[in-house]
Amino acid sequence: MELKYVGPKPIISHTGIEFDNNKEDKYVYLNIVVQLLKALSHDYFEDRTYIYQAHTQHLSPEELYDELKKQCPNIKSLMEQENYHIEEEIEHNLQRAEENSVLNEENKEILQKNIKIMHDYLVQRSINKSIYYCAIDALAELLKKDHIDHIITPMFQKFSHVLHSVQGSLKKQKYPIDTALDVFEKDGKLLVRLQVINTNHRLNHSIF
């Protein structure tokens, strides 16, 4: 098993296979997550603002794996576990297709064939998603542990998506942490800020 891009969410039916471009493969966000993890993983001093120069170079799947393993040491077992779960789900969907009372035998066979065609795609996409959320939880833990007040990044879709995911991770903590995500302009540039609201955070972080 490995990390690699496959594509947006497939919509599989007896009439064919379509793709929902609004639900992109989580793999496309892993490079941003790694940048943020690198930016936040260092010693801090109180009342300081830290600026990190984001890199545009994309890491290879192998480099991403090595970087993510630092924050998710159990990455291999996570991939294996997710592989097991998605295999069960695919098998369940094949069984449902077989038992479908609306479709005729020919359409049942077509649906099952389409599911099988997308088998590897579905497995990889699911694995990418599980590792993405492991990394997001690691980011949230860094924010909490180091009492970071807020993070500012360029207003790019991928950065915004990742920060929104971090919001979700902080909200689901045992003791939920309130956050706010807002967009503002500074020196002619659009920026997005994730602010941690209800803790005694004292540090600021900017990613450019």
Side-chain angles (χ1 to χ4, degrees):
M1 284 176 284
E2 59 183 341
L3 290 172
K4 64 178 181 180
Y5 177 76
V6 282
K9 181 179 180 179
I11 302 170
I12 306 170
S13 70
H14 68 280
T15 61
I17 302 167
E18 299 178 351
F19 296 91
D20 185 350
N21 290 319
N22 293 318
K23 295 184 178 180
E24 182 57 282
D25 184 351
K26 294 299 185 186
Y27 180 89
V28 303
Y29 304 108
L30 288 178
N31 203 71
I32 298 298
V33 177
V34 166
Q35 288 191 51
L36 291 172
L37 285 168
K38 284 184 174 182
L40 298 177
S41 299
H42 59 76
D43 293 330
Y44 290 95
F45 297 95
E46 188 173 344
D47 298 322
R48 286 283 302 275
T49 296
Y50 292 84
I51 298 176
Y52 176 80
Q53 194 69 34
H55 300 292
T56 55
Q57 179 183 1
H58 286 277
L59 300 176
S60 69
E62 294 77 16
E63 290 169 327
L64 281 174
Y65 182 93
D66 290 341
E67 289 293 336
L68 290 166
K69 190 176 181 181
K70 296 174 185 177
Q71 300 294 337
C72 301
N74 61 334
I75 187 171
K76 184 177 180 181
S77 62
L78 275 176
M79 294 170 82
E80 291 172 349
Q81 183 179 18
E82 191 59 32
N83 183 76
Y84 174 80
H85 289 318
I86 191 62
E87 290 284 4
E88 278 197 326
E89 183 178 324
I90 291 170
E91 189 60 36
H92 175 69
N93 288 337
L94 287 169
Q95 187 64 33
R96 285 185 61 193
E98 175 64 30
E99 297 170 355
N100 192 303
S101 60
V102 176
L103 300 178
N104 60 34
E105 290 303 315
E106 181 182 1
N107 285 336
K108 286 181 183 181
E109 290 180 10
I110 293 172
L111 176 55
Q112 289 178 309
K113 181 180 179 181
N114 288 342
I115 292 172
K116 290 176 182 177
I117 287 172
M118 297 303 293
H119 173 276
D120 291 352
Y121 187 105
L122 292 167
V123 169
Q124 187 63 56
R125 200 170 185 278
S126 186
I127 287 173
N128 292 346
K129 183 177 180 179
S130 69
I131 301 308
Y132 170 78
Y133 281 110
C134 177
I136 287 296
D137 288 343
L139 267 175
E141 186 60 32
L142 282 173
L143 284 172
K144 185 174 68 172
K145 177 177 69 72
D146 293 324
H147 307 294
I148 295 172
D149 176 71
H150 66 259
I151 302 175
I152 298 173
T153 72
M155 181 51 201
F156 298 146
Q157 186 272 337
K158 289 179 182 178
F159 276 107
S160 298
H161 183 95
V162 169
L163 293 183
H164 183 72
S165 295
V166 174
Q167 267 192 305
S169 181
L170 289 169
K171 188 174 182 179
K172 73 178 184 181
Q173 301 280 324
K174 182 178 181 180
Y175 301 104
I177 298 174
D178 290 335
T179 60
L181 200 62
D182 65 287
V183 177
F184 65 99
E185 185 176 350
K186 182 178 181 181
D187 300 328
K189 297 179 180 178
L190 277 179
L191 305 172
V192 59
R193 173 173 50 211
L194 173 64
Q195 185 172 0
V196 182
I197 296 172
N198 67 346
T199 59
N200 296 319
H201 287 195
R202 299 178 299 277
L203 300 171
N204 308 322
H205 231 297
S206 299
I207 315 294
F208 293 103

